[in-house]
Amino acid sequence: RRDGIREAVVTAQAILDGIPACRSEWDGRRRGVMAAVRRRMMGADDAGPTPADRIARELAQLDDALQRFSTGANRRVTDAVGFESRRWFEAVAVALRTPTESPEYPGHRFVVQCSDIASALAALTRGNARMLEALAWRGSEVRQVVARWRPEQFVEVSPRQIARANPWSGVPGCIYMGRTPDNATFSPAFFVTETRGIAEKVCAQPAITGLFDPPVSGAPEAIRGEATPDLPANDTRWGVPPSLHALLRSLDTLRRPTGTLYRLYADSTRQQSQVTTVERLLTSSGASNTPMDVGFTVDITIDPSVQALAQKTAACYTGRQDVCQAMGIRRKEDEGKAVGSRLLEHAMVRMAAVAVIDVESGRIEALAGALSPCTRQEYDGPGRSKACDRRLPYPIRYRPDALLNPAVFHDAMPASVIKPIMAASFLSDPEVGARWLASERAELQRTAWPTRDSLRGQLMRSDSARFLDRMFCADKGFANCARPWNVQTAAAAFGWNAGCADSREDCGKRDLLFGRSADAIDDGNASLASVVPFGRLLVEPAAVEVASSFRLRPKSTLDTGKVRACAAGPDGRRGSSDDWEKCRGRVVVDVVADGWGQGNARSSALGVAGMMAALATAANGEPLHPPHLVHAIRGADGADAAAVPLLHIEPPAPQPPAISRDAAELILNALSYSHRGGTARAACEQIFDARTCRDIDWIAGKTGTPTFPNDDVSLDQLAQLCAQAAPRTRSMIASCGALRPYKWYVAAYRTDPSSARWTKVIGVLTERNWIADTGRIHGAGDHGPNPAAEIALQ
């Protein structure tokens, strides 16, 4: 603990005196007659700092970093901690005289060297001691872990985190980003690296970049690291998705020459007499050329300019006012003040997740996300800073997954975002689809503006009750209705419900890297998959005791009387404001909840964007390319690793359109009115003027608002309610539970407004914030601006 430190400041001389075993190695002073003559002539000791000087400087940097880390607003340790030199000297002395074992070499004992100590310290302090964030701290670890720690222990450092890399293990393959203007040719403009060093030199070499066809003009630019919450507004790292290395972790076994699959592939290709990257690519390191193995390079589909724009916008809306100013972002509601000035933390939203997909190719061009500082503390622990409102009802619990990129790791009930899927199923219905489609097309010829009773009008205004009427066959008295299961089938055609045929935890997930569904991932390629939430609809838990495992809801005949009563609502009158709001019968209740986009339905920002991409490709009359993050994996001879049958990593073949072109065009036409007179109009008019919003016909968007029990409850009321002792009522459990105030927006848009082709889609998920002076949630229900739509339109 910092208040118990007796000796913190360390000098180079104190290090030499405190660790005499390393004096000769760390002193750095030249010995002998010539060295003495040189020192006398120069009037000083040897020029330049000694290793002891560097170590003393690094120890001071470590102490400063520990103070910042353990006393800042977003700390993960229970008490302020620091560095104590006396105890460090004792620990080093023990380490130097105690042989150790490594898990990689069981039965072999190694002697720790002075150079190992220096290397470990250098690793800890590298990058402003950023490794502190990756360590296990008391305050954010579960009790079972802390229980095996010593009473005075505050942190656990894994040997793997500071071990020196084996110089014979080769260089990891590069991660390239760039643009693909013709959706086929990849031209790397940047590569991502963690540190300066040999890997950075390799990735800029013509021996690697010369593999691209056509050849790259000029060396790609290095970007060191990825987007973090505190980046300066002009930093190039905004162009790298947060958590990129976590997203690509399954490819480490190919990128690293020591990886198992790398060696399997190398052996396979050697047997076929092919030249590959493992044949010791000659790299230039320092003054000499050294043969060194280089892992396979990975070309990802991220467009750095699109990624930077999305990431900065997400950061702005979660409280980074400097980024808002640098981008010139304004909102009408703020009346010239800072963006979100009326809300807690001056943040428009507490979380923002953004995914952008190219329609024609399925390339994921941006995966952006940000958390406000107080939201991050809820997942990072161990407590909230004084700047955070203590009335917030969310518990503080360490959840590393929630700190990863929100665009792929955060999911929510999709709510009205499922209406394009529902509309597609209605227009494809074998009984009424052709008739409804003809009626809608006839209306479109009579009047461009959708009428209230048409499907286009109900879609534009997000009229959930009328959509449920259609889904449960109100047109034929709710009897013998199979349309819920048609909606289930349509969801699968749009890329949702993958892996849900059987009960499994991967129900509704997809492989982020190559666009494969959960069904297509087998034992042979599972190690090269990064399975993330995508979308699920009309599913049910496999069993009460296994709530994380889901399967498709089996087709069943619904009780017509219960459905009819549910449609009338509590007042018993059809066509009133409470239609479909109170239901009875477990199965009826569950299926109706899915019709609202609630219940067990879930999606991510990537998933809703993928759904809209399927709709846009159908409207363009094109085959569907599933969304994917990896464009190619290549070796030193330019050979694509996907060509090797052993790995099975080629992206899925293009798929048939999800629905007919006529139906897709009609749905997107209806959605193009959402910001002109529908549910996205208020958001549009926060950014543009009303006339501009009415004239925009090149954006087709859909909003969604998942259920949230506290839309009409203030923070004061909520804090009082949640502080009450048991027994807890059902309403208390709902109000103080895990539900968060999310808002959705998904849109297809044309990058060339004069063209008829839809070219891009964007999916945005946000967690709404609370108004500071009233303690009320911003944008309650479907009223007021939708911040997710604002982010997309910005």
Side-chain angles (χ1 to χ4, degrees):
R1 285 171 52 128
R2 200 162 195 91
D3 56 12
I5 292 176
R6 287 173 289 176
E7 300 175 31
V9 179
V10 185
T11 64
Q13 188 59 49
I15 289 172
L16 298 176
D17 294 340
I19 312 175
C22 298
R23 177 184 292 275
S24 60
E25 187 172 335
W26 290 354
D27 188 355
R29 294 162 54 94
R30 293 184 174 88
R31 307 293 178 182
V33 176
M34 293 301 296
V37 173
R38 181 175 181 274
R39 285 195 295 272
R40 179 172 297 182
M41 292 179 62
M42 296 182 63
D45 283 355
D46 297 316
T50 66
D53 293 325
R54 178 181 60 78
I55 292 170
R57 183 176 65 251
E58 289 173 344
L59 290 174
Q61 292 171 351
L62 180 60
D63 187 57
D64 290 342
L66 286 168
Q67 181 170 17
R68 289 194 306 271
F69 179 81
S70 61
T71 61
N74 189 24
R75 59 188 182 276
R76 280 182 45 207
V77 60
T78 51
D79 296 275
V81 297
F83 172 78
E84 185 171 35
S85 61
R86 178 183 57 82
R87 294 178 62 191
W88 186 69
F89 290 149
E90 294 172 356
V92 169
V94 171
L96 291 174
R97 66 172 181 262
T98 307
T100 184
E101 285 193 22
S102 168
E104 288 83 359
Y105 302 96
H108 296 270
R109 299 180 69 80
F110 298 89
V111 176
V112 176
Q113 306 288 335
C114 295
S115 58
D116 297 322
I117 302 295
S119 175
L121 179 60
L124 276 171
T125 56
R126 184 181 298 128
N128 206 18
R130 65 182 180 181
M131 186 181 288
L132 295 181
E133 294 282 352
L135 304 181
W137 291 92
R138 182 182 293 273
S140 58
E141 286 297 311
V142 297
R143 292 180 181 178
Q144 294 91 325
V145 172
V146 175
R148 60 181 171 80
W149 288 6
R150 299 188 306 275
E152 75 278 10
Q153 183 176 350
F154 276 81
V155 63
E156 183 176 66
V157 187
S158 164
R160 291 180 178 274
Q161 290 171 307
I162 58 173
R164 184 179 356 195
N166 182 348
W168 299 100
S169 65
V171 180
C174 309
I175 300 173
Y176 288 107
M177 300 188 301
R179 302 181 70 88
T180 50
D182 59 0
N183 296 327
T185 302
F186 182 86
S187 179
F190 301 92
F191 63 90
V192 183
T193 181
E194 297 230 5
T195 59
R196 298 175 183 269
I198 184 65
E200 182 175 337
K201 297 176 182 178
V202 167
C203 296
Q205 278 194 30
I208 295 288
T209 60
L211 304 174
F212 295 95
D213 184 21
V216 178
S217 57
E221 180 182 343
I223 300 180
R224 299 178 189 92
E226 58 191 33
T228 59
D230 54 354
L231 284 184
N234 61 348
D235 200 295
T236 58
R237 287 174 288 177
W238 289 106
V240 181
S243 314
L244 176 62
H245 287 277
L247 298 176
L248 299 178
R249 185 169 295 148
S250 65
L251 299 183
D252 282 352
T253 188
L254 276 175
R255 289 185 55 237
R256 299 185 182 279
T258 54
T260 304
L261 284 179
Y262 175 95
R263 293 196 297 271
L264 285 174
Y265 178 67
D267 293 341
S268 169
T269 51
R270 284 191 181 111
Q271 291 171 7
Q272 299 170 28
S273 300
Q274 295 179 6
V275 180
T276 70
T277 187
V278 297
E279 300 299 343
R280 295 191 171 280
L281 177 71
L282 193 66
T283 62
S284 178
S285 174
S288 62
N289 288 335
T290 305
M292 189 171 294
D293 293 347
V294 180
F296 289 105
T297 65
V298 180
D299 308 334
I300 62 174
T301 60
I302 295 295
D303 184 327
S305 61
V306 179
Q307 174 68 36
L309 179 59
Q311 188 63 39
K312 288 182 180 181
T313 307
C316 166
Y317 267 65
T318 50
R320 284 291 303 272
Q321 297 300 327
D322 58 325
V323 177
C324 297
Q325 293 173 5
M327 298 182 71
I329 289 180
R330 298 287 185 271
R331 299 179 64 255
K332 192 172 298 182
E333 186 181 64
D334 295 320
E335 299 178 338
K337 298 179 182 178
V339 172
S341 58
R342 299 168 50 235
L343 281 71
L344 298 180
E345 303 181 80
H346 291 182
M348 273 303 302
V349 297
R350 307 186 78 239
M351 182 277 295
V354 185
V356 179
I357 300 174
D358 179 75
V359 172
E360 182 181 359
S361 65
R363 296 190 324 268
I364 298 172
E365 295 188 340
L367 290 172
L371 305 174
S372 73
C374 293
T375 308
R376 179 171 290 276
Q377 290 173 33
E378 288 163 15
Y379 301 125
D380 206 9
R384 291 190 180 97
S385 71
K386 294 180 180 179
C388 299
D389 197 307
R390 299 304 175 96
R391 299 170 297 173
L392 290 167
Y394 314 114
I396 297 172
R397 184 166 60 92
Y398 184 47
R399 278 188 54 200
D401 60 310
L403 298 171
L404 295 174
N405 193 319
V408 291
F409 291 105
H410 282 234
D411 58 72
M413 293 183 289
S416 291
V417 171
I418 69 167
K419 283 187 171 64
I421 295 176
M422 298 173 72
S425 73
F426 298 157
L427 296 177
S428 304
D429 185 270
E431 295 181 1
V432 298
R435 175 161 52 86
W436 285 0
L437 180 59
S439 174
E440 296 291 327
R441 289 173 62 84
E443 182 198 79
L444 181 59
Q445 291 177 350
R446 291 194 307 272
T447 173
W449 199 271
T451 60
R452 182 170 294 276
D453 293 332
S454 67
L455 178 62
R456 288 194 309 136
Q458 294 163 1
L459 190 53
M460 161 190 157
R461 297 177 180 85
S462 198
D463 192 336
S464 296
R466 304 292 73 84
F467 256 66
L468 287 170
D469 285 348
R470 292 178 184 264
M471 178 175 170
F472 288 93
C473 306
D475 52 301
K476 58 178 188 177
F478 305 105
N480 302 319
C481 187
R483 288 182 203 157
W485 321 120
N486 295 341
V487 172
Q488 188 184 68
T489 301
F494 279 89
W496 289 20
N497 289 350
C500 298
D502 301 316
S503 173
R504 55 194 289 181
E505 292 185 3
D506 286 343
C507 170
K509 298 181 179 181
R510 294 185 72 91
D511 174 24
L512 168 72
L513 304 182
F514 304 100
R516 296 167 296 190
S517 71
D519 307 282
I521 302 171
D522 56 31
D523 293 339
N525 54 34
S527 59
L528 289 179
S530 180
V531 179
V532 297
F534 201 76
R536 68 181 191 228
L537 183 62
L538 281 161
V539 301
E540 65 178 8
V544 175
E545 65 274 10
V546 191
S548 61
S549 185
F550 292 86
R551 64 187 175 199
L552 292 177
R553 182 172 292 280
K555 295 181 181 180
S556 61
T557 302
L558 302 178
D559 187 310
T560 304
K562 290 179 179 178
V563 173
R564 188 177 291 116
C566 180
D571 65 3
R573 294 186 294 108
R574 292 278 292 128
S576 58
S577 59
D578 65 356
D579 288 2
W580 298 101
E581 290 191 358
K582 290 290 183 181
C583 302
R584 286 187 168 186
R586 185 177 62 84
V587 176
V588 171
V589 169
D590 290 346
V591 178
V592 170
D594 274 285
W596 285 100
Q598 318 280 359
N600 294 314
R602 292 292 185 277
S603 189
S604 61
L606 175 64
V608 298
M611 176 271 292
M612 186 63 80
L615 185 65
T617 56
N620 290 342
E622 301 168 350
L624 171 64
H625 290 264
H628 56 279
L629 181 62
V630 173
H631 175 77
I633 297 177
R634 65 181 78 232
D637 63 340
D640 190 337
V644 179
L646 175 66
L647 298 180
H648 301 295
I649 60 172
E650 61 273 6
Q655 302 170 4
I659 58 173
S660 72
R661 184 170 189 174
D662 287 346
E665 287 177 340
L666 192 79
I667 293 170
L668 288 175
N669 174 271
L671 295 179
S672 71
Y673 287 89
S674 69
H675 58 278
R676 293 190 259 181
T679 54
R681 177 179 175 180
C684 187
E685 292 180 1
Q686 283 294 320
I687 301 164
F688 308 110
D689 59 82
R691 181 174 180 178
T692 299
C693 291
R694 286 195 303 269
D695 292 341
I696 294 176
D697 63 356
W698 47 272
I699 301 174
K702 184 74 196 74
T703 61
T705 305
T707 185
F708 181 62
N710 300 318
D711 270 341
D712 298 317
V713 181
S714 71
L715 282 175
D716 285 331
Q717 295 169 326
L718 193 57
Q720 184 177 4
L721 179 68
C722 297
Q724 293 180 14
R728 302 174 74 84
T729 65
R730 182 175 297 181
S731 62
M732 282 180 61
I733 294 173
S735 297
C736 307
L739 290 177
R740 293 191 176 236
Y742 290 119
K743 284 276 189 180
W744 283 103
Y745 182 75
V746 61
Y749 58 98
R750 302 181 176 106
T751 49
D752 178 4
S754 64
S755 171
R757 289 187 68 261
W758 301 98
T759 50
K760 309 286 181 184
V761 296
I762 184 169
V764 183
L765 173 64
T766 59
E767 180 186 329
R768 291 175 283 157
N769 203 358
W770 305 77
I771 301 172
D773 58 353
T774 66
R776 300 275 177 173
I777 198 71
H778 181 258
D782 286 330
H783 310 296
N786 180 319
E790 286 186 31
I791 287 174
L793 292 166
Q794 293 278 21

